[in-house]
Amino acid sequence: MASTLPTIQHLIDGQLVSGGSRSQDVFNPATGLAEKRVLLADKHTVEQAIASAHAAYPAWRATTPLKRARVMSRLKVLLEENAEQLCALLTAEHGKVLSDAMGELQRGIENVEYASYAPELLKGEHSKNVGPAMDSWSEFQPLGVTAGITPFNFPIMVPLWMWPMAVACGNTFVLKPSERDPSSALLVAELALQAGLPPGVLNVVHGDKEAVDTLLLDKRVQAISFVGSTPIAEHIYATGCAHGKRVQALGGAKNHAVLMPDADIANAVSALMGAAFGSCGERCMAIPLVVAVGDATADAVVAGLKAEIAKMKVGPGTDSANDMGPLVTQQHLDKVRGYVDQGVAEGATLVVDGRGIKVPGHEAGYFMGACLFDHVKPGMTIYQDEIFGPVLGVMRVATLQDAMDLINAHEYGNGTCIFTRDGEAARYFSDHILVGMVGINVPLPVPVAYHSFGGWKRSLFGDLSAYGPDAVRFYTRRKTITQRWPSAGVREGAVFSFPTNR
Ligand code: NAD
């Protein structure tokens, strides 16, 4: 029997269209009910989106940067005006609480705002008199058709890390959002059309591996930005590069917070609560591990966290009294619960067990309470793997150097932070830690829109980070032009030696 649920369509050439014979349910994680269906694009549909972006490119490239930037300024206003609707969609598909959704949207808007500075950012470099009557300059030209593939956990913000700067730089774009919560990115794209983005400059195709593989293999796609889990990031990077594309692929994380004996423990506990359990731990900058220096520090933080967890409210994201909503899908809930089972089996001490939580009236929702482990050890699966759920582990070490050795040996290097009052320790930590984004008494050191975002090690494949100044470089190609206008009538002989300034 055909589904009667509303269908989420693709946006190609400025029109909402169907495409592909496959589709899948989109669930409300707070109720466990399928409320919509999303189309899964086939190869032909994705090729239509690429063709639209390819056709729109010459005129968009020729549009002055100031006019492109004005679209971004208008989009910023429209995003602010439509914030409630966008966040309601986000919460209905992802599950995060509305205040958190608002924070995500705001961070996304700041990327749109930064993209509106593109005329300034694209100014290039100029040198006069590099030789006799000779000037030289570097300019930053767009690449052509670019594409982005995004994860479920920031369905509004992560697409806005990508396409606004790509199009502000003169490229056209094909976005493939997460099929688990696809509606909000689509609504943002429709608002971009309202803001004056010409049809075809931004296309949105929903889908899975078939859609992504089409983007990876199509010769017209010049560059790919990916954010998601590390195994897929590595696949995207290897395949995209093998097909001659520029690729940045941001992957998973396991972020450690170091707690020094001199830290303000009460404030650190508050900071850790938000960083570990905000958005149900489904953030690539979440803190799932605390490394306490000294047993007294560990005992104090475990006691503090236990007391705070007891006060947490878990329930649907639409109720502003709640601190934490549900996980995104039943499969993800099962996976996260499985990790907690494994942590117990591997010998960590489960201090708070949130596995059995029930939310009255939402029994079929994908809820899980906060879990707290003590005595987590490096060999354990719950130490090594990214759990991406509300599970916080405390580890005990003797010195700062022991804590840093642990972090530096971990396969991921996305974010980390240190809580201390000791400036020398903080400075040593930030200088020598092998992690891309570091907080000092800041639990979630997510860079603002005018800095770039990127991890080290297996948290990022590629040379350039996301958004900020790196995005301008990622979405443009440097061209250096050297020009000479010799005086008319002056006869010059041939020079066979290599030209220099000697
Ligand atoms: P995911 O890797 O499952 O999916 C990401 C995207 O890849 C989706 O659009 C999905 O459709 C697509 N995809 C999935 N399987 C694919 C396959 N086999 N071939 C081609 N494409 C495929 O990630 P997710 O579960 O949506 O998101 C959570 C992950 O994203 C976590 O690992 C998290 O750490 C990471 N993340 C990283 C950052 C960062 O900046 N480093 C930011 C947000 C999320």
Side-chain angles (χ1 to χ4, degrees):
M1 200 178 75
S3 166
T4 53
L5 296 173
T7 303
I8 303 164
Q9 292 179 293
H10 316 293
L11 182 73
I12 298 177
D13 217 26
Q15 303 294 324
L16 288 173
V17 295
S18 301
S21 54
R22 295 182 303 129
S23 63
Q24 73 176 44
D25 287 338
V26 177
F27 292 88
N28 182 331
T31 61
L33 296 174
E35 293 187 347
K36 302 163 200 161
R37 280 191 79 76
V38 62
L39 299 172
L40 301 174
D42 55 10
K43 184 169 185 275
H44 175 68
T45 307
V46 178
E47 284 175 348
Q48 282 179 321
I50 297 170
S52 166
H54 195 245
Y57 176 61
W60 185 244
R61 181 190 195 273
T63 303
T64 65
L66 198 57
K67 286 188 177 166
R68 299 196 299 245
R70 284 189 193 131
V71 177
M72 296 304 132
S73 303
R74 286 194 290 270
L75 175 61
K76 172 179 177 288
V77 174
L78 287 174
L79 290 171
E80 286 161 350
E81 287 173 358
N82 289 274
E84 258 179 50
Q85 190 192 350
L86 281 163
C87 292
L89 265 183
L90 202 169
T91 294
E93 294 180 3
H94 175 283
K96 65 177 71 176
V97 295
L98 276 172
S99 57
D100 190 30
M102 282 289 180
E104 165 174 356
L105 174 63
Q106 177 55 31
R107 279 296 188 108
I109 288 173
E110 288 168 13
N111 284 278
V112 175
E113 196 170 14
Y114 186 64
S116 73
Y117 308 151
E120 172 69 22
L121 298 166
L122 287 169
K123 269 172 30 187
E125 301 156 357
H126 188 272
S127 296
K128 201 169 170 67
N129 288 333
V130 295
M134 191 183 282
D135 306 327
S136 188
W137 70 91
S138 292
E139 57 190 40
F140 296 92
Q141 299 194 344
L143 307 174
V145 179
T146 54
I149 299 145
T150 54
F152 81 85
N153 67 322
F154 283 106
I156 292 182
M157 181 183 76
V158 171
L160 291 176
W161 285 2
M162 299 176 181
W163 71 258
M165 187 56 84
V167 305
C169 288
N171 302 282
T172 54
F173 205 87
V174 180
L175 173 67
K176 209 289 300 162
S178 171
E179 64 278 35
R180 283 184 262 180
D181 47 12
S183 296
S184 51
L186 180 64
L187 178 54
V188 172
E190 292 180 272
L191 293 174
L193 284 175
Q194 273 183 44
L197 202 65
V201 172
L202 170 65
N203 303 274
V204 180
V205 287
H206 303 293
D208 52 13
K209 187 170 168 26
E210 182 173 352
V212 173
D213 285 348
T214 307
L215 291 169
L216 278 175
L217 302 184
D218 195 290
K219 285 195 165 51
R220 291 166 293 184
V221 177
Q222 302 295 314
I224 298 217
S225 298
F226 173 88
V227 176
S229 58
T230 286
I232 311 294
E234 197 165 25
H235 161 69
I236 301 279
Y237 186 72
T239 313
C241 290
H243 287 82
K245 300 184 196 319
R246 184 179 287 186
V247 185
Q248 55 177 186
L250 283 73
K254 190 81 176 184
N255 307 315
H256 303 62
V258 177
L259 191 58
M260 295 292 283
D262 68 345
D264 178 333
I265 300 285
N267 278 336
V269 165
S270 300
L272 289 168
M273 287 295 295
F277 305 120
S279 199
C280 225
E282 292 170 322
R283 291 177 180 149
C284 67
M285 289 294 277
I287 293 287
L289 290 168
V290 179
V291 190
V293 177
D295 276 328
T297 315
D299 291 343
V301 76
V302 169
L305 289 166
K306 193 176 166 190
E308 287 302 312
I309 291 172
K311 297 182 214 157
M312 267 180 80
K313 292 200 173 62
V314 181
T318 45
D319 181 346
S320 58
N322 290 326
D323 302 305
M324 199 167 83
L327 286 156
V328 67
T329 56
Q330 181 68 49
Q331 294 88 316
H332 193 52
L333 174 63
D334 295 342
K335 186 174 161 191
V336 175
R337 277 196 192 134
Y339 271 117
V340 179
D341 298 345
Q342 202 165 353
V344 174
E346 289 179 352
T349 311
L350 187 57
V351 179
V352 182
D353 183 357
R355 282 174 293 181
I357 199 171
K358 287 274 171 284
V359 175
H362 289 79
E363 285 74 10
Y366 313 136
F367 293 98
M368 178 168 168
C371 293
L372 178 65
F373 276 109
D374 195 357
H375 301 287
V376 174
K377 302 266 165 43
M380 296 178 177
T381 316
I382 57 165
Y383 174 68
Q384 219 56 49
D385 288 11
E386 180 182 46
I387 299 175
F388 226 54
V391 183
L392 178 60
V394 176
M395 311 181 75
R396 294 163 178 252
V397 296
T399 66
L400 172 60
Q401 192 58 55
D402 291 341
M404 291 176 63
D405 290 346
L406 261 182
I407 299 170
N408 287 346
H410 204 285
E411 69 167 313
Y412 296 120
N414 211 42
T416 187
C417 66
I418 184 169
F419 292 97
T420 182
R421 291 188 175 101
D422 179 344
E424 186 185 2
R427 190 168 186 274
Y428 180 79
F429 179 79
S430 64
D431 197 16
H432 294 282
I433 206 74
L434 301 178
V435 173
M437 292 169 284
V438 180
I440 297 167
N441 299 315
V442 173
L444 293 178
V446 179
V448 291
Y450 43 98
H451 287 261
S452 295
F453 180 111
W456 285 13
K457 297 187 274 184
R458 289 172 58 75
S459 292
L460 183 140
F461 302 89
D463 300 320
L464 291 167
S465 296
Y467 68 81
D470 270 15
V472 183
R473 291 293 171 264
F474 184 78
Y475 294 119
T476 58
R477 212 175 345 230
R478 175 188 289 267
K479 183 179 278 181
T480 303
I481 298 145
T482 304
Q483 114 181 320
R484 180 163 184 252
W485 296 104
S487 297
V490 176
R491 180 86 20 240
E492 296 175 332
V495 177
F496 295 95
S497 59
F498 201 59
T500 74
N501 262 306
R502 282 186 70 194

